[in-house]
Amino acid sequence: MYKPLILIAEDDQDDALMLKDAFSEINQNAVTFLENGKLLIEHLQKLLNDKELPSLILVDLNMPILDGRGVIKELKKRVETKDIPLVVLSTSKNKDDIESVFALGADDFFTKPASFSDLVDIVTIIAGKWLNTK
């Protein structure tokens, strides 16, 4: 059975735990969390060295060391990673933030919801749209 690998860069531990639980609710348990964009890029390089690619990358917009924009720029300029679906999940509702991540090449953008059930709805949409779960 195909198990998609999901990489998530999220510096807020509470948000990371909620995301883990939300993906678990939809039976997506192959999720790796990294605390910032730099760690995500380093982990992705290890995967590439092992000839593996994640099925999906989720990034928070505002993180220390390397933020979501930096991750998008880095991944979209590399031939081996430019086609991996990249979704931004952020507390921002700012139109300029949203437009800027799409301009950099992000595939989707969601604002972090206040409730867990809304988060499950969002990850269900993300999985349905970007993961080949059939």
Side-chain angles (χ1 to χ4, degrees):
M1 186 166 141
Y2 172 72
K3 283 272 189 210
L5 173 62
I6 303 164
L7 297 184
I8 300 178
E10 173 58 70
D11 64 313
D12 184 297
Q13 296 214 333
D14 291 335
D15 286 351
L17 186 59
M18 278 187 42
L19 273 167
K20 182 179 189 298
D21 290 346
F23 274 104
S24 185
E25 285 279 317
I26 63 165
N27 298 312
Q28 294 294 328
N29 296 307
V31 181
T32 300
F33 286 89
L34 302 127
E35 291 180 16
N36 62 59
K38 182 176 185 284
L39 292 174
L40 183 136
I41 298 290
E42 290 169 357
H43 185 76
L44 184 57
Q45 190 57 54
K46 288 178 194 157
L47 289 174
L48 289 170
N49 292 344
D50 294 338
K51 305 285 188 258
E52 289 184 61
L53 275 181
S55 304
L56 174 68
I57 296 175
L58 255 72
V59 294
D60 186 13
L61 195 54
N62 301 306
M63 295 180 288
I65 305 174
L66 184 64
D67 69 1
R69 284 179 194 84
V71 171
I72 297 166
K73 286 178 194 169
E74 184 65 30
L75 297 183
K76 292 303 175 181
K77 74 180 184 187
R78 298 166 126 195
V79 171
E80 61 271 22
T81 58
K82 69 180 177 57
D83 294 327
I84 300 169
L86 202 150
V87 177
V88 176
L89 190 61
S90 176
T91 54
S92 177
K93 294 178 182 164
N94 182 309
K95 189 171 156 258
D96 291 339
D97 283 343
I98 296 167
E99 287 175 0
S100 74
V101 298
F102 281 119
L104 291 171
D107 294 295
D108 220 334
F109 182 100
F110 291 90
T111 300
K112 290 178 184 174
S115 76
F116 180 71
S117 65
D118 287 346
L119 184 60
V120 171
D121 290 345
I122 287 172
V123 299
T124 301
I125 291 166
I126 291 170
K129 197 169 178 181
W130 300 109
L131 297 177
N132 182 9
T133 55
K134 293 165 188 68

